[in-house]
Amino acid sequence: MHPLNKRAKQALKDPVLMRTLPEATRRAVDKQRDRWRELPDVDALRDRAQEIKHHTVRHLDHYLTTFEAAAKANGVHVHWASTHEEAIGIIRAVLDRNDVRVVAKVKSMATEEMALRERLEATGREVWETDLGEFIVQISGRPPSHITAPAIHEDVASISRLFHEKLGTPQTDDPERLARFARDHLRDRFHQADCGISGANFLVAETGRVVLVENEANIRLATTLPRVHVVVAGIEKVVPRTSDIPVFLKLLARSATGQKLTAYTHELRGPRRKDETEGPDEMHVVLLDAGRTRILADEAARDTLDCIRCGACQNVCPVYQAVGGHAYGGVYGGPIGAILRPQLEPDRDTRRLPYASTLCGACESACPVKIPIPDILLHLRSRAVASASDERLPRPGWIAEKATVQAWYRSAMSPRVWRVGGKLARLFGPARPGRGSFHRLPPPLSGWTKHREFPRPAPETFHAMWDGRKKKKSAAHPIGRDEDGT
Amino acid sequence: MADDSRQVRLFATCLADQFDPEAAMAAADVLEAAGCTVAFDAEQTCCGQPAFNLGHRDEARQVALRHIRLYDGTTGPIIVPSGSCGSMMKVYWPTLFAAGSDERAAAERVAKRVEEWSRFLVRDLGWLPERDAEAPERRVAYHPACHGLRVLGLDGEAERLLAATGHRLVPLPRADNCCGFGGGFSVEMPEMSGKILEDKLDCVEGATASGAGTVAALDIGCLMHMRGGHERRTGTTEGHGGCPAYRHVAVLVRDALRARGERSDVAPGPRESAAGEP
Ligand code: SF4
């Protein structure tokens, strides 16, 4: 069994997940729909957002160097990291130089990609996730399972149990109280922290500023209290102008959390100036490639870089709704994960991810920047086929798939073979009243009969029926009430 | 619309050919009732989607090209009783060929003529049967299958056909949700697919609780999937013991037209009484 199927099977056996997931995703889908409806012309706004992204991605080198120059002028140290390892090296050097023992970390997908928390903890530092959801995930020891709701796989009872075990707090079914426990625990950490590490929602090229949105005020604290602030941002996060930001802000919170706007929107310029009372002494921005320029080079997949990490495609995806984020086996689950991970971390396992989709298109409809996710999935599937054909030791199932496609191909290319194939299929016994369908079939159709009956072929093909119809045609018309017909 | 817009060619689809020829036949019957002459090119097999969706583009391209050549020598609309095959032919066929190539040009010529069955009738021909006021009430839940809905943007055509032929549409909860079929997905990812199907069947049972005895859709694949799942769940065959019948919209429309024809043969009532429906 492929690891993807195995993980899906595991997910289906998780009672907490099976309870929380349908409700949480449906609620998110409904909220997004309501918030989108409130906009005068959401489609035009999505087009505008997509246009800005397309333009920026196609001039990425220009906007990144513009950002770098502007940020440096603001007193920010800008670093370029072509791999995750390079980024970790840069960050470690900054922490070493500043004698950082405690880090207040803000949830960020770029840092998640490189498992930054775990990597820094391994150097003997204390690193605390300061968003409630991410904090839950940290102390549970399980990975996050959603881009914007990392602990979506937990419920109040499981969180209460977890806090009780790890923090010694009393059990409660009051989510407010649980949030308070976490806040109390984190408050001291903020004061001890020498460094805050965050991601970025947007980097503004013309001003060199970093835009971050949040609801819990932990970003506010993590980026102003500690002496040092490090931003880790994928290179696709840059946008040309400050005037582009409102376009995205109108869409981002509406799509992510179903809010009109998040409670806080920060625009960070750089380290504290002499006349200012707040802010870090030092600010760093690490611009992360780690596979992104590879995506940029592939025209058919380039739109993957437009993603603003809202998570709407996850909420609306029937596969995600069924099995949740852990089944995808990595940091990014759901439709965005199925297109992003095979490109960021191409290997045999991730190549299978684009197949974890029905191609229903709900993701594209929900995506605020209209990424054609189904088309990219199809493109990546064709790349997976090309890679599998090149492999000396093919994955299990590949030979059977190839043979099935070849058999289909030979008959689809020849009406004669098609007819013979139809006759052969009927040797198994065509449908007839009283004759049931197939309960169990051998591979590859065993996957089908696991959950459904497989129908018997019709007694006659349409081709044969049509021949018969032509012969009968001189008689009465098939539909009685034809007045103006043939 | 060109003069030969009622001289149509039916692309039956491979699934209908093998598993549900009645659906394609009903699609032809209704087209004729709408005043079309229907031709069927016996050389046709499959649109290429099964291979395309699995990523086997070379094979899909050859099979598509074979049909593009077949149709490029003909004229008139090419009608497909499936939103999924219709999407493949109308939207994806051209993308299989390099921009500027002869094949691409031919694919685009043919793709322009391809239309999904219900949309052709209702939008292109502007055809809707007169509303049948005397028909016995038949409650139907309609599943708007994904490719028709999101790739082709079908927008209520099937529902209007069903309503006009005396079907009462019972709301299907979360109707827009996929049934979990996805072609090869249903076979290769049975855990995920099976779970999505379970959810769809729960929703269908919400509709059957409101009296829907039939589930209608425009795609044989989705119908096979839901029917097969529901038969497994209920341990019966469709139409029995809590498992509704799963029918292509064309079959329901055709049968309703036939029933009406038979009624009016017996007692030809005044036509005006049923007229006046937009
Ligand atoms: S792909 Fe679109 S919907 Fe999904 S996370 Fe990215 S921006 Fe949001």
Side-chain angles (χ1 to χ4, degrees):
Chain A
M1 194 185 256
H2 192 275
L4 196 53
N5 299 47
K6 218 179 278 168
R7 288 190 301 259
K9 204 169 169 180
Q10 256 162 24
L12 294 173
K13 281 193 261 175
D14 177 343
V16 177
L17 181 71
M18 290 298 107
R19 245 193 340 265
T20 58
L21 196 60
E23 208 192 294
T25 49
R26 273 175 219 157
R27 202 172 41 230
V29 170
D30 290 346
K31 276 203 282 189
Q32 182 194 19
R33 190 188 313 115
D34 292 347
R35 290 293 93 75
W36 274 21
R37 273 205 201 115
E38 292 162 1
L39 291 165
D41 190 348
V42 70
D43 227 40
L45 194 65
R46 291 167 74 203
D47 284 338
R48 180 72 196 118
Q50 186 189 43
E51 221 178 289
I52 296 168
K53 279 288 183 184
H54 278 186
H55 170 83
T56 317
V57 163
R58 279 152 189 79
H59 301 86
L60 207 51
D61 49 345
H62 167 71
Y63 287 115
L64 283 170
T65 48
T66 311
F67 171 82
E68 180 184 29
K72 277 183 172 161
N74 295 337
V76 176
H77 303 272
V78 180
H79 313 262
W80 300 79
S82 55
T83 61
H84 289 138
E85 285 310 314
E86 262 184 59
I88 292 166
I90 292 164
I91 296 160
R92 279 187 60 176
V94 171
L95 301 191
D96 285 346
R97 215 170 36 245
N98 287 282
D99 258 335
V100 171
R101 306 308 322 160
V102 180
V103 175
K105 200 179 151 296
V106 171
K107 192 187 95 59
S108 118
M109 294 312 292
T111 58
E112 235 22 278
E113 276 177 31
M114 57 184 91
L116 185 62
R117 170 167 39 84
E118 291 84 343
R119 292 294 296 272
L120 294 181
E121 280 172 346
T123 64
R125 294 177 168 91
E126 246 181 74
V127 185
W128 290 100
E129 297 287 354
T130 59
D131 304 70
L132 179 55
E134 198 70 26
F135 174 72
I136 293 168
V137 155
Q138 175 178 14
I139 63 170
S140 78
R142 295 173 76 192
S145 70
H146 188 284
I147 293 181
T148 52
I152 197 171
H153 53 275
E154 305 279 5
D155 65 4
V156 173
S158 68
I159 295 166
S160 169
R161 241 186 344 264
L162 181 69
F163 281 12
H164 178 68
E165 275 167 29
K166 304 278 166 142
L167 309 177
T169 54
Q171 298 259 28
T172 172
D173 54 7
D174 178 6
E176 299 283 331
R177 251 186 108 197
L178 287 170
R180 200 148 3 98
F181 293 156
R183 260 204 308 277
D184 289 346
H185 181 83
L186 286 169
R187 185 169 303 125
D188 296 339
R189 274 70 187 180
F190 275 120
H191 289 288
Q192 293 161 358
D194 321 288
C195 176
I197 297 181
S198 75
N201 290 102
F202 305 97
L203 307 171
V204 183
E206 72 172 355
T207 61
R209 297 185 184 186
V210 176
V211 175
L212 279 159
V213 299
E214 62 155 334
N215 284 313
E216 299 172 21
N218 60 309
I219 296 190
R220 176 90 185 138
L221 294 174
T223 60
T224 50
L225 286 182
R227 285 181 283 121
V228 184
H229 175 205
V230 179
V231 177
V232 186
I235 51 174
E236 81 284 8
K237 290 286 172 189
V238 69
V239 294
R241 286 164 300 272
T242 304
S243 60
D244 298 325
I245 298 296
V247 176
F248 293 102
L249 291 187
K250 277 183 203 163
L251 288 165
L252 180 53
R254 280 186 165 86
S255 307
T257 48
Q259 296 168 286
K260 286 186 172 128
L261 266 184
T262 45
Y264 302 89
T265 302
H266 309 288
E267 190 192 23
L268 304 176
R269 184 197 54 220
R272 175 163 41 90
R273 291 182 181 169
K274 285 205 180 64
D275 55 339
E276 292 171 336
T277 52
E278 277 191 336
D281 299 335
E282 235 180 88
M283 181 167 163
H284 298 260
V285 173
V286 181
L287 295 170
L288 178 71
D289 179 348
R292 284 157 174 84
T293 47
R294 198 166 46 229
I295 300 179
L296 186 62
D298 182 354
E299 212 184 316
R302 192 177 286 163
D303 293 352
T304 310
L305 294 176
D306 297 350
C307 175
I308 56 174
R309 308 282 191 270
C310 72
C313 58
Q314 302 183 311
N315 296 328
V316 82
C317 173
V319 175
Y320 184 92
Q321 288 177 357
V323 296
H326 289 153
Y328 294 80
V331 174
Y332 298 97
I336 180 60
I339 61 171
L340 191 54
R341 288 190 47 229
Q343 304 187 76
L344 288 184
E345 351 153 8
D347 65 30
R348 206 158 140 156
D349 222 30
T350 59
R351 263 204 321 255
R352 200 72 189 134
L353 283 173
Y355 289 89
S357 164
T358 67
L359 301 172
C360 78
C363 47
E364 183 175 358
S365 308
C367 176
V369 288
K370 295 192 174 182
I371 298 176
I373 297 174
D375 288 358
I376 299 176
L377 289 168
L378 284 164
H379 167 69
L380 295 173
R381 289 182 183 189
S382 77
R383 269 184 23 191
V385 165
S387 318
S389 307
D390 288 346
E391 256 173 8
R392 237 178 310 142
L393 199 70
R395 69 168 164 82
W398 167 249
I399 306 278
E401 177 181 317
K402 184 90 188 148
T404 310
V405 170
Q406 283 309 313
W408 165 87
Y409 175 69
R410 268 193 299 277
S411 61
M413 286 303 280
S414 154
R416 194 180 52 79
V417 180
W418 185 260
R419 258 195 312 277
V420 173
K423 287 213 177 97
L424 283 177
R426 277 155 188 77
L427 291 181
F428 293 100
R432 203 170 63 201
R435 182 188 272 165
S437 37
F438 295 107
H439 281 305
R440 261 178 91 165
L441 289 169
L445 285 174
S446 52
W448 176 284
T449 50
K450 226 178 204 166
H451 297 285
R452 330 122 178 113
E453 299 289 295
F454 193 81
R456 291 176 180 275
E460 264 192 321
T461 64
F462 182 80
H463 278 80
M465 274 175 84
W466 187 266
D467 284 345
R469 172 186 168 114
K470 267 199 307 208
K471 282 175 201 138
K472 275 194 304 215
K473 203 57 197 273
S474 47
H477 196 275
I479 292 177
R481 67 171 284 286
D482 182 55
E483 300 98 357
D484 54 351
T486 51
Chain B
M1 183 147 287
D3 278 335
D4 58 1
S5 71
R6 282 178 197 250
Q7 312 266 327
V8 306
R9 320 193 79 78
L10 183 73
F11 184 84
T13 80
C14 64
L15 283 181
D17 187 38
Q18 297 301 321
F19 294 101
D20 198 354
E22 242 344 275
M25 197 54 85
D29 290 341
V30 177
L31 284 165
E32 289 185 346
C36 299
T37 40
V38 182
F40 175 73
D41 303 280
E43 297 273 286
Q44 64 181 261
T45 54
C46 168
C47 68
Q49 180 162 227
F52 181 69
N53 280 1
L54 282 174
H56 296 254
R57 285 217 175 163
D58 293 336
E59 288 83 356
R61 186 180 296 113
Q62 292 312 313
V63 169
L65 188 59
R66 202 187 140 255
H67 289 89
I68 289 163
R69 295 226 163 99
L70 176 68
Y71 283 121
D72 204 21
T74 65
T75 57
I78 301 155
I79 305 307
V80 191
S82 155
S84 193
C85 313
S87 303
M88 179 69 197
M89 296 163 73
K90 194 166 186 63
V91 177
Y92 288 109
W93 270 5
T95 67
L96 285 168
F97 306 97
S101 64
D102 290 349
E103 287 95 342
R104 173 71 162 254
E108 278 169 359
R109 275 195 301 276
V110 171
K112 247 190 231 123
R113 291 164 49 207
V114 170
E115 204 44 86
E116 185 281 324
W117 172 83
S118 68
R119 165 160 283 188
F120 174 74
L121 285 168
V122 176
R123 190 193 63 180
D124 297 357
L125 291 187
W127 180 83
L128 262 189
E130 291 165 1
R131 197 175 270 265
D132 189 352
E134 282 138 59
E137 188 184 90
R138 280 165 301 224
R139 296 191 182 201
V140 174
Y142 176 67
H143 167 64
C146 302
H147 284 168
L149 185 69
R150 300 199 187 85
V151 182
L152 296 178
L154 297 186
D155 188 16
E157 292 88 345
E159 290 97 317
R160 292 174 67 194
L161 284 169
L162 287 169
T165 46
H167 298 91
R168 171 127 160 247
L169 288 156
V170 177
L172 176 64
R174 296 195 291 284
D176 289 4
N177 267 32
C178 181
C179 75
F181 174 47
F185 173 80
S186 60
V187 173
E188 298 202 345
M189 312 264 160
E191 293 80 15
M192 299 175 187
S193 171
K195 174 70 180 158
I196 302 170
L197 177 60
E198 285 303 315
D199 184 55
K200 177 54 81 178
L201 296 182
D202 289 344
C203 294
V204 166
E205 287 176 3
T208 52
S210 312
T214 307
V215 177
L218 289 167
D219 282 271
I220 304 293
C222 312
L223 287 164
M224 265 171 64
H225 188 239
M226 292 185 285
R227 180 191 299 121
H230 224 149
E231 290 184 340
R232 174 64 58 89
R233 176 186 273 200
T234 56
T236 55
T237 49
E238 59 169 341
H240 299 90
C243 180
Y246 285 85
R247 290 286 176 275
H248 194 284
V249 175
V251 173
L252 297 179
V253 171
R254 192 264 320 263
D255 289 354
L257 290 177
R258 260 187 194 163
R260 182 195 300 197
E262 278 157 17
R263 260 184 289 127
S264 58
D265 283 347
V266 181
R271 267 279 151 77
E272 299 76 40
S273 64
E277 199 57 41

